[in-house]
Structure formats: C-alpha cells, structure tokens
Amino acid sequence: MNILVLLKMVPDVVEELEVAGDGKSLDTSFLRTIINERDDHALEQAILLKERHGGKVTVVALDAPDIDDTLFATMAKGADRAVKITDAPEGMTTQMAAKLCGQVVAGLLPADLVLTGVQALDDLDGLSAALVAQQLNFPYIGVVTAVTAGGPTATVLKEFAGGVRGEFAVTLPAVLGVQAAEKPPRYVPVAKVRAVMKTNKIETVSAPGDAGAAQIEVRQLAKPVVSSHAEMLEGSPEEAAGKLVELLAQRGLL
Amino acid sequence: MASNIWVLAETWRGQVTETTLELLTLGREVAGQSGSQLEAVLLGDKSLAASLGAADNVLCAANVEPTPEAVAAALAQLVKERQPQAVLVPWTNLSMDAGALAAAQLNVPFVNGCKDLKSDAGTLVAQCVVYGGKLEAAVSATTASTLFGVLPGSRSAASPGNAPTVTDVAVTLPEAKVKFTKYLEPEAGGVDITQQDVLIAVGRGIQTQDNMELANDLAAALGGAVCGSRPVIDQGWLPLSCQVGKSGMQVKPKLYIMLGISGAPEHIEGIKGAQVVVAVNTDAAAPVFNASHYGINADLFEVVPALTEAVKAKKG
C-alpha cells in the first residue's frame, strides 16, 4: 500500500523555552527542535504497515532547522522517499502550514493512507490531519493507536479514556491522526543514517500557492501564571529524601 | 443581543460527560459577558437533554452516529445555519477530532487546549496551554463562529438544573466512510490503579525499561503500585491499564509520586483526585512542580534509591 506521512519539527520542551521580545512568539535563537512525537508514531505505523503489506512510504515535511537529519533518519528507518517543502513563509500557524502541505500531498497521490500525528505541541488553531483530510476530501479519524489494512477499508482503533478503545471501519483512501503506533518508534543507529545520507536524496518542492492569512491572533505568549507551586525540598538527594519521608510520616502516609 | 454561545454536548456510553457539564459552566460565564444565550448541541439520544438543564436551550439532532465524521458534518451544518458566536468543544480524545474536522469544514480556527475563555470588549480571548504546558498563549480569532477546544477541568461541572427546552433540528449527513464497529475494553487482570492508596508514576525520565526496577522497589517499600505517563506506555514498559491521564485512568490515591514526568496537561488531568502529590524532576522549570505539593529538583536515579532506603528505615 502507498502511505504518505506528514511530519513536522517542534521545539524540544525538555529545554527551557523563552518568549521573544514581542511577548507573542517563541525566541528561536537557541531553540532545539525535534520531530513532533506523534508524527514519529505516525511514521512508525506507516513502516509497520509497509512491512506487513508491502508498498511505499513517502515522508513529507516543511523545511526547518535540522529537518534534513530527520528526513534521512526516516529513510534509514524504512521510508522510501522524503520530500521537503522549501520557501514557505515563516511563522505559519497549523492552519496555514496544513494548507501548503495538503497541496503537496495532493500532488503525491494516489495513496491509500495519509498518516500524521493527531496533534503537535505547538498547535493553536487546528489539527493538521483534519485540515488535510478536508482539503483532500478524504475521510478522517484521530487519536488512532492501531491500523489493520486489507481491502477497500482499514480497521482502525481509536483511543478513548480509561483504556477503552473503539474499532472503526474506515473507507480508503483516508487520513488518520495517529496517537501511538502499535510498537514504539524504532531506533536507528547513526551509522545507518550516515549510510543513507550517501545513497539517498531528499527531494525538494517549492511551497505551492498561498498559505492564506492566520485566522487567529496571539495576543500574548508567557510562562503560566501559577496559583500554586510545590514546596521544594532542598539538599543532597539523601537529605531531600529524608525530608520527604518525615513529611509523609507526619501526614500519616507511611 | 449577541449571537449564542454553544457547547457541543459529548456523550459516552449513554451519558453526558463531566467535561460537557464543565463547559456549560464556562459557556454560561462567557454568555453572561456577551449578553447572549447558552445552547447545548446534542447529537444523538434526545433523552440525554435532561442532563443539560444548565443551558437555556438544547439543539438536538437524533440521527447522528458517534463518529468524528458524522458529528463534524452535523455540527458544521448547524453552525452554518444558525451562526453562533462561538462553539465550545471538549478537548478530549472523544471529541477533539470531530471539533477539528468541523472547524476545517467551516474554515474557522479550532483554538486548542483552552483552559479559559473570556469576552474582551466583544472579542473572545482564549487562554491556551501550549508546548506541553511550558507556556500559555492568549489567543483571539478573527472569524465568527470560531470553535474552541476546552480542556477538562476548566471549571466545576454545572448542575443539571431544570429540564431545558429542546429544539429538534434536522441534519443531512454524507454517506458514512467511517463506521463504528465495537468497543474494546482494557485487558482485565493486573493491578487496578484506580483503587490504590499509593502510586508511583513513571515518565520519560526513567529512560530505560531496566530502570523501572527503581520505581518497583519504591512502590514495594511504600505498599503501592507503579503507573505511568504516555511515553512509558508507548514504550510497552507498562500495560495500557496502568496509564494515568487523558487517555488513561483518573486516579485518586492518598499519595502520588511522579518520577521524571514533565507535567503535561494530558497527564495532570488524571490526578485531580490525588491527595498528596510529589514530583522528582531534573528540570526546575518543569510544569509538574506547579501541580505538586512537594518537589525535589534532582536526578531521580539518585533520589529514588535514597527515598526507598529512607522509607524502609522509617518503617523499620
């Protein structure tokens, strides 16, 4: 089966995030970006499907710092093609980016499935999968945790709350917003990525058409104003652990 | 009078969800600020309208299947016909895809992760949680009838109130291409984390499956069980039934100790009922410390063995 995977880079939130001088955007000067975690799961699900059913996996991503390394890594993992969209405007919202990506995806059809993460850490005005599905006029479902293909429909599991999942029959071609692949995203050794860099190429396409204007205005971006903060237990690990045990004992929790 | 504020009523296995009732509380505040009426949109079983008395009116279309495709098509159609000022949609696994698709069909934003919504001189401004809870954005939309995805826990649940007026509405649905077939229940067996007094919750910071032993030892010393956040479940180090948060369980232990969990809203959503919450994390700015009573800003690999020993020593 033919599968298109839409990826994007997002800030690594393990790092400290700073707000830019305008008070409305992220300070990108020292920003480390990584692949959106849910997109990594979408890629893994695509490769699992390819391993089970054969076919091709094509990865599509907007240009971003470190994107080449990420795209080579996807090919080292098992993607057949990687397409990078260049010359897109800076600072696009999710809605705007989806508009461009959807047009590129449309140009890469036919495909049986378009997979992307159900959401991204920096989404504010929509979810890519739903926006692209609407552009392509494909059916869509999100929060997907398993896909079984075969025939004109796919059997898709969607995660609800409390560990309950729902099974859905989805007519192909379709767009799925992936929450988690059936297996953890695979690890690929750096040596393998380096080897792929020598043999494979990243294709590039110029951003097609117009991304449109943002339909939201970010009035302020700031660290959360918190109503409460933990009482921090200081000292060496042993001292902090000792303090915690005393506090728990006082509260009758030991 | 301004056009109405809507809440998409979410139903789950024959009941209106708690999140819907919370959104009705928020929706009532927003409607009050803008001098408009509050309406709930119920797509499905009309008898459930009795739970939605916090709304002034319930718009009910009974023929809608619980798929994101059908819910989105029905909602988009009703929004086009009736043009509400805004639609509040539960930002939950159940409804987020339907909200996103309806917004895409209407070409309006689906403003995500809102923990608050206010009218500011006639414009609605949402306070949105972004970057895993590290930052918040105040967001307004330039469109009419914008959809807002509101996080669970934004307000207290509205009481059902008197039976509301119900307006039957007709929607025409496209041919279904996404069909619900069945529910899959979580596998039985193992520990029921919703019944534990002490839970040790493990996150990405645990790094490897072998390190889970540290959490197991601490849980054994405290007489509790181990649970986890999404990344640990994704890795297969704990079963789905041990996941706490949006997709997992709502827990209410007396003591909840988080090891290497950043504190994303999806996880914190699941521990609202916990009595004493402790976090251990190397990142002093991790949002988890805003959701805990006690915090230790240190390496869990140093703290946890010390804590396990200290607990054992104290207990004798």
Side-chain angles (χ1 to χ4, degrees):
Chain A
M1 60 192 316
N2 264 338
I3 306 172
L4 298 172
V5 180
L6 202 49
L7 302 182
K8 83 165 173 181
M9 303 296 279
V10 293
D12 184 352
V13 295
V14 169
E15 307 279 317
E16 191 66 10
L17 299 183
E18 296 294 339
V19 176
D22 66 358
K24 297 175 180 182
S25 59
L26 212 52
D27 181 350
T28 54
S29 34
F30 300 103
L31 196 64
R32 204 168 85 99
T33 58
I34 55 171
I35 184 171
N36 177 41
E37 189 176 11
R38 300 295 135 219
D39 296 349
D40 202 16
H41 280 268
L43 172 70
E44 181 62 33
Q45 187 63 52
I47 297 170
L48 290 173
L49 286 167
K50 176 186 157 182
E51 287 171 351
R52 292 207 289 260
H53 302 287
K56 272 180 86 171
V57 172
T58 303
V59 175
V60 181
L62 281 164
D63 199 0
D66 304 325
I67 191 68
D68 286 6
D69 289 351
T70 299
L71 289 176
F72 281 122
T74 69
M75 289 190 276
K77 286 179 175 185
D80 300 275
R81 287 174 71 188
V83 178
K84 178 169 73 173
I85 307 170
T86 57
D87 309 316
E90 301 238 325
M92 288 190 294
T93 67
T94 298
Q95 254 186 322
M96 295 162 74
K99 200 166 176 181
L100 290 185
C101 292
Q103 290 173 65
V104 173
V105 166
L108 294 167
L109 297 176
D112 302 289
L113 281 170
V114 179
L115 303 185
T116 191
V118 61
Q119 65 181 112
L121 284 174
D122 57 353
D123 285 332
L124 271 178
D125 62 348
L127 301 181
S128 296
L131 289 158
V132 169
Q134 175 61 18
Q135 274 188 69
L136 300 175
N137 197 24
F138 283 6
Y140 154 74
I141 185 167
V143 209
V144 168
T145 58
V147 184
T148 309
T153 61
T155 303
V156 170
L157 296 188
K158 168 177 168 162
E159 196 169 80
F160 294 114
V164 180
R165 290 166 298 163
E167 186 185 283
F168 294 81
V170 180
T171 304
L172 302 181
V175 180
L176 306 180
V178 175
Q179 167 83 296
E182 289 156 44
K183 290 182 181 171
R186 64 195 66 197
Y187 170 76
V188 58
V190 175
K192 195 169 175 191
V193 179
R194 291 223 177 95
V196 164
M197 283 175 172
K198 288 182 186 146
T199 54
N200 293 35
K201 283 217 157 33
I202 294 169
E203 299 167 44
T204 56
V205 294
S206 251
D210 181 8
Q215 292 183 321
I216 56 164
E217 182 201 345
V218 176
R219 296 182 167 202
Q220 188 191 41
L221 184 69
K223 295 195 173 159
V225 178
V226 294
S227 52
S228 65
H229 191 275
E231 176 185 336
M232 301 306 288
L233 307 178
E234 309 291 345
S236 69
E238 289 75 17
E239 285 164 355
K243 286 178 188 172
L244 180 59
V245 165
E246 286 307 317
L247 286 163
L248 298 181
Q250 283 166 22
R251 286 174 167 258
L253 291 165
L254 289 184
Chain B
M1 182 181 281
S3 54
N4 294 343
I5 301 292
W6 283 10
V7 169
L8 175 67
E10 180 182 71
T11 63
W12 172 243
R13 301 181 131 181
Q15 286 198 318
V16 168
T17 64
E18 180 90 354
T19 308
T20 304
L21 302 177
E22 294 167 3
L23 266 58
L24 285 170
T25 304
L26 177 62
R28 173 60 70 195
E29 285 179 24
V30 176
Q33 289 159 10
S34 51
S36 51
Q37 299 268 301
L38 177 64
E39 290 186 302
V41 180
L42 176 62
L43 303 171
D45 184 356
K46 190 176 174 181
S47 69
L48 297 178
S51 308
L52 299 168
D56 297 310
N57 183 42
V58 178
L59 298 170
C60 181
N63 62 328
V64 182
E65 291 296 313
T67 68
E69 187 185 41
V71 171
L75 183 61
Q77 193 176 325
L78 292 172
V79 167
K80 268 186 205 154
E81 286 168 12
R82 294 170 175 258
Q83 303 191 352
Q85 187 185 349
V87 185
L88 280 54
V89 177
W91 181 243
T92 57
N93 284 2
L94 195 55
S95 300
M96 66 196 295
D97 49 3
L101 188 57
Q105 289 172 358
L106 291 161
N107 191 28
V108 298
F110 183 41
V111 179
N112 325 154
C114 311
K115 60 179 246 192
D116 202 2
L117 186 64
K118 285 192 181 94
S119 179
D120 174 26
T123 303
L124 293 181
V125 182
Q127 189 70 14
C128 303
V129 177
V130 277
Y131 304 120
K134 280 221 156 173
L135 296 176
E136 287 181 10
V139 177
S140 60
T142 58
T143 51
S145 302
T146 301
L147 273 61
F148 292 90
V150 181
L151 287 163
S154 66
R155 291 292 185 278
S156 303
S159 60
N162 299 324
T165 59
V166 179
T167 307
D168 290 309
V169 290
V171 289
T172 314
L173 297 174
E175 182 203 352
K177 291 187 171 172
V178 176
K179 292 178 184 156
F180 173 75
T181 42
K182 64 181 177 194
Y183 289 113
L184 280 80
E185 302 299 329
E187 283 166 30
V191 179
D192 181 355
I193 60 168
T194 65
Q195 300 302 318
Q196 296 290 316
D197 281 343
V198 176
L199 284 173
I200 309 301
V202 180
R204 194 189 305 278
I206 199 77
Q207 295 180 3
T208 69
Q209 186 163 19
D210 289 346
N211 293 336
M212 295 292 290
E213 219 35 58
L214 286 172
N216 291 334
D217 291 347
L218 179 57
L222 284 164
V226 175
C227 58
S229 64
R230 175 102 235 169
V232 172
I233 310 300
D234 282 350
Q235 288 296 328
W237 299 342
L238 282 174
L240 193 56
S241 58
C242 287
Q243 184 179 347
V244 172
K246 195 184 198 77
S247 303
M249 305 296 173
Q250 305 285 317
V251 294
K252 44 182 188 330
K254 291 179 179 159
L255 175 61
Y256 193 75
I257 302 182
M258 290 186 272
L259 307 176
I261 288 179
S262 66
E266 291 82 4
H267 184 76
I268 301 304
E269 208 177 299
I271 63 166
K272 280 182 284 183
Q275 288 175 22
V276 175
V277 178
V278 179
V280 180
N281 202 298
T282 50
D283 178 4
V288 73
F289 290 123
N290 302 330
S292 307
H293 299 98
Y294 302 109
I296 301 177
N297 174 212
D299 189 338
L300 75 89
F301 301 111
E302 293 178 12
V303 173
V304 175
L307 189 55
T308 305
E309 288 313 309
V311 169
K312 283 183 185 164
K314 187 77 183 175
K315 282 187 158 182

